[in-house]
Amino acid sequence: MSILKTGGPGRFGGYGGQFVPETLVPCLLELEAARLAAEADPSFATELAHLQADYAGRPTPLYRARRLEAAWGPRSRIYLKREDLNHTGSHKLNNCLGQILLARRMGKQRIVAETGAGQHGVATATVCALMGLGCTVYMGATDVVRQAPNVARMRLLGAEILTVTAGSATLKDATSEAIRDWVTNVKDTHYIIGSTVGPHPYPTLVRDFQSVIGREARAQILEKEDSLPDRIIACVGGGSNAMGIFTGFLDDPVALFGVEAAGSDQGHSEALGRGTPGVLHGSYSYLVQDGDGQVIPAHSVAAGLDYPGVGPEHSHLRDSGRAVYLGVDDGEALDSCGECSRLEGIIPALESSHALAYCKKQLAEEGPGAEPLIIVNLSGRGDKDMAGLEAAAADGGATS
Amino acid sequence: MTELTRLTRELRDAGETALVPFLTAGYPDLETSRRLIAETAAAGCRILEIGVPFSDPVADGPAIQLASSKALAAGMTLGKALDLAAEARREHDLRVVLMGYLNPVLAYGPEKFAKACAAAGVAGVIVPDLPLEEAAGLRAVLAAGGVSLVDLVAPTSGDDRLAAYGASATGFLYLVSTTGVTGAGLGADIQSYVERVRRHTEVPLFVGFGISSPAAAAEVGAVADGAVVGSALLRLVDEAGDPDAAVAAVGAFLRETRAALAD
């Protein structure tokens, strides 16, 4: 017998829940009420749609990458969902635009967020500037160094960046510190969590705001190919870009592949591939942990995937078999980043490069006769990774 | 009635405000941890909270975070913390409340954990990341062995939630003094907060989080039935430099605080 509930609001199969200190529960209930009220209010959707179109630049294109097709699978068709062209350079803004409107409805004056790659931090700082709200972003010391351009962007946007040196000094520790700030300032502060993780209602809330990716991609592929894709490939850290695109195709005969970071000999971030279920940051989901239930620091060359947990809905999709999760290591991701840059003139984020690398790998396994129609979610652009990419190239030409 | 319920009521009926020290198991090391536990009993405390370290303690401030990471690095586990609790119960006049995050309990196995708590004579268990809506399962398996699941309530808890907590509470109800993490300082207007909670329950009310001095404990003791002191003790241990000094500093703090509570 499990002591955990298996149903009810915020449960995906047995995963999810609200495992947070009591101090935060009333605030989560308030957020859930605000979410449901917004859902029922047509003016909320109208305002969000306006911001998505005129501020973020949506819809993002669905682009056919013919030179990648020629290199990786001559009979394949590979489409890239260009979330890198979203304002601020990644899919993260989709969630932040929705959440900042909710924060305003709840009368919150201040926003706190965590960030790994800095993409969510930049998107949060952006919407705070837009709405005139105070913004504090927690970022691990390791990530402050490896994603320096995004730190500078956040500062320019008026956000306060607080460096976290605890633990592995990456996304996990930044998230813990953001939660501590939120517990302390809960009355006037809204926590814009950046992925489909955390306590209910966040996994649902973030998925819903990201589902615009899948809705657009489905309509676009039907228009261009008059057919659904055979498969969707997306990288998975917390899993928000993947849930955003998967949601559009859950009820279709389309294979869904989530790509986790297999990292290197320094460690990995494969919660779904190599973890076991547990509770971190408020929800029950797969987790990289030891036999005593202590969380093991993750590793990935991509700061945005460098997280030992994963969103609870992915755990459910994994167990049900609806989606399949695999790992791609640092070297494979770096290689694909270089190939996409040189062949398509698109520099993908190292996170998104994991999805590209799996696309390549699968085509190689299937052989040159395979004719799959593929959509890869290109969740963000790689400008932020330039320092790391140059270092990797100098290290032994991983990008060549 | 659980053992913890009996004891906390007995103390309340005797007019004594309980001073509950919190110590992280295995901090700064196992042997000093044993000596610190003995010192709490020697200082006259009857209830002791033993903290089970977790890698990601989101409800805790810097002092308990540091103690937790050092204890983990020195090899502390939930199993070893249970051994320490059993020893404390056996060798001293102490009732032990274990405080630990949910994930190590899940990894250990909740039923096995409940049985181990009962076997170790653990009187109560506090899980800071297990609020009301998620607590029924663990509460039931612990209750089967006569162990209380001690709930935390917060200044943000509304009357409906306080009523629900009050209805299921055994042992005592733990009032988080402030919106914040452990060790950050005492919340404002403790008196009206305690009075508000008391309207919803008969169980003794213990206040914790941010009680950093004998004076702060006395302020809490004027209205509540117990005061929990954690980060302040761990800071003393951290500053002490060696085990003898740590034990002496913790003992002196507890004696002074008990005296302040008795005034």
Side-chain angles (χ1 to χ4, degrees):
Chain A
M1 187 196 91
S2 169
I3 60 153
L4 302 177
K5 296 196 288 190
T6 53
R11 240 68 183 197
F12 306 94
Y15 299 105
Q18 272 181 342
F19 299 95
V20 292
E22 166 65 17
T23 309
L24 292 177
V25 175
C27 180
L28 292 171
L29 297 173
E30 180 196 4
L31 179 60
E32 174 67 348
R35 179 181 83 86
L36 295 173
E39 227 174 59
D41 177 358
S43 74
F44 183 87
T46 305
E47 184 170 13
L48 183 57
H50 161 74
L51 287 170
Q52 285 171 339
D54 292 352
Y55 187 70
R58 301 203 71 91
T60 58
L62 186 71
Y63 163 75
R64 185 164 176 188
R66 290 178 187 271
R67 280 168 53 81
L68 284 180
E69 291 172 2
W72 292 353
R75 302 178 72 100
S76 69
R77 283 166 293 166
I78 303 173
Y79 281 88
L80 306 180
K81 179 59 176 164
R82 297 290 309 274
E83 289 302 297
D84 59 316
L85 293 177
N86 204 22
H87 177 44
T88 75
S90 81
H91 72 291
K92 293 294 187 186
L93 189 68
N94 304 332
N95 169 45
C96 290
L97 282 174
Q99 286 208 44
I100 202 77
L101 294 181
L102 280 182
R104 204 183 55 187
R105 285 173 81 102
M106 292 187 292
K108 303 288 182 180
Q109 296 304 310
R110 177 176 174 267
I111 299 297
V112 59
E114 85 296 338
T115 197
Q119 297 296 80
H120 174 59
V122 167
T124 304
T126 297
V127 297
C128 287
L130 179 67
M131 297 293 168
L133 296 181
C135 180
T136 298
V137 178
Y138 288 89
M139 190 167 188
T142 306
D143 295 336
V144 167
V145 172
R146 62 177 162 171
Q147 310 280 230
N150 275 344
V151 176
R153 291 167 78 198
M154 286 184 274
R155 290 209 170 106
L156 184 61
L157 290 161
E160 172 190 33
I161 314 302
L162 295 180
T163 302
V164 180
T165 54
S168 52
T170 57
L171 181 53
K172 166 178 86 87
D173 311 287
T175 305
S176 294
E177 210 51 42
I179 293 172
R180 292 187 187 107
D181 180 312
W182 189 34
V183 169
T184 305
N185 301 295
V186 63
K187 289 192 178 89
D188 71 342
T189 298
H190 174 62
Y191 177 25
I192 301 192
I193 203 164
S195 193
T196 49
V197 299
H200 175 65
Y202 281 109
T204 301
L205 181 76
V206 177
R207 176 202 65 201
D208 289 352
F209 287 138
Q210 291 294 358
S211 65
V212 65
I213 305 173
R215 272 199 310 279
E216 285 178 8
R218 192 174 189 282
Q220 288 166 320
I221 197 77
L222 286 174
E223 192 195 321
K224 287 175 194 290
E225 295 287 345
D226 198 24
S227 157
L228 285 167
D230 296 303
R231 57 190 184 238
I232 306 279
I233 305 174
C235 66
V236 175
S240 70
N241 88 80
M243 274 322 306
I245 194 161
F246 285 0
T247 299
F249 299 90
L250 277 178
D251 298 330
D252 297 320
V254 174
L256 306 174
F257 294 95
V259 186
E260 295 187 294
S264 68
D265 54 11
Q266 294 174 55
H268 67 90
S269 308
E270 289 184 83
L272 294 159
R274 293 198 255 171
T276 51
V279 167
L280 176 69
H281 296 148
S283 64
Y284 182 64
S285 193
Y286 278 86
L287 181 61
V288 183
Q289 58 182 326
D290 68 17
D292 292 323
Q294 305 295 341
V295 181
I296 298 173
H299 167 79
S300 171
V301 69
L305 304 184
D306 196 341
Y307 183 69
V310 69
E313 193 166 6
H314 284 296
S315 292
H316 178 53
L317 294 176
R318 174 203 183 274
D319 284 5
S320 72
R322 178 63 190 91
V324 174
Y325 297 87
L326 308 108
V328 153
D329 68 26
D330 287 355
E332 293 169 314
L334 285 163
D335 285 345
S336 294
C337 179
E339 275 187 277
C340 185
S341 300
R342 283 190 311 281
L343 291 173
E344 296 289 349
I346 296 169
I347 303 174
L350 284 175
E351 290 76 15
S352 324
S353 299
H354 284 73
L356 288 168
Y358 184 67
C359 175
K360 175 184 178 178
K361 206 167 166 172
Q362 204 174 24
L363 286 169
E365 281 163 13
E366 288 166 345
E371 299 182 342
L373 174 58
I374 304 167
I375 299 178
V376 176
N377 198 17
L378 200 81
S379 55
R381 70 182 186 218
D383 311 39
K384 69 190 176 62
D385 296 314
M386 287 320 301
L389 287 167
E390 289 191 343
D395 253 11
T399 58
S400 65
Chain B
M1 190 180 280
T2 68
E3 185 187 29
L4 193 61
T5 304
R6 264 197 307 278
L7 175 62
T8 54
R9 285 181 194 234
E10 190 185 301
L11 291 172
R12 182 169 68 180
D13 294 345
E16 186 179 335
T17 307
L19 174 61
V20 181
F22 169 99
L23 294 169
T24 298
Y27 175 71
D29 55 67
L30 189 56
E31 189 44 43
T32 311
S33 204
R34 288 196 177 100
R35 292 182 57 193
L36 290 167
I37 288 170
E39 187 65 13
T40 66
C45 299
R46 302 281 306 281
I47 303 170
L48 168 69
E49 256 189 59
I50 295 183
V52 181
F54 179 51
S55 52
D56 296 84
V58 294
D60 286 304
I64 296 180
Q65 287 178 48
L66 178 76
S68 300
S69 65
K70 285 194 173 170
L72 286 174
M76 184 47 59
T77 62
L78 177 53
K80 290 179 190 171
L82 281 160
D83 292 343
L84 202 58
E87 200 180 298
R89 174 75 175 84
R90 200 167 55 234
E91 295 181 7
H92 309 288
D93 185 19
L94 286 171
R95 298 295 176 274
V96 176
V97 176
L98 272 189
M99 180 160 186
Y101 290 82
L102 182 60
N103 200 50
V105 173
L106 295 177
Y108 192 88
E111 276 93 4
K112 186 180 152 202
F113 172 70
K115 288 193 178 95
C117 284
V122 166
V125 170
I126 301 175
V127 183
D129 56 350
L130 196 68
L132 186 67
E133 288 82 350
E134 308 284 0
L138 187 61
R139 193 188 311 282
V141 296
L142 286 172
V147 180
S148 296
L149 181 69
V150 174
D151 293 304
L152 297 128
V153 299
T156 51
S157 309
D159 285 341
D160 53 338
R161 298 184 65 77
L162 292 178
Y165 276 116
S168 60
T170 58
F172 60 90
L173 201 54
Y174 189 128
L175 279 62
V176 174
S177 87
T178 180
T179 58
V181 294
T182 52
L186 198 59
D189 206 0
I190 293 295
Q191 184 178 348
S192 68
Y193 174 36
V194 171
E195 284 168 358
R196 186 165 74 89
V197 179
R198 213 178 287 281
R199 285 202 291 276
H200 297 283
T201 184
E202 290 300 311
V203 300
L205 305 182
F206 287 18
V207 174
F209 281 42
I211 301 176
S212 59
S213 66
E219 185 191 336
V220 164
V223 288
D225 306 304
V228 184
V229 181
S231 295
L233 300 180
L234 298 176
R235 276 194 289 265
L236 290 174
V237 173
D238 185 41
E239 288 158 7
D242 68 77
D244 289 346
V247 171
V250 165
F253 184 95
L254 292 176
R255 286 181 181 86
E256 198 187 333
T257 306
R258 287 201 76 222
L261 284 171
D263 272 352

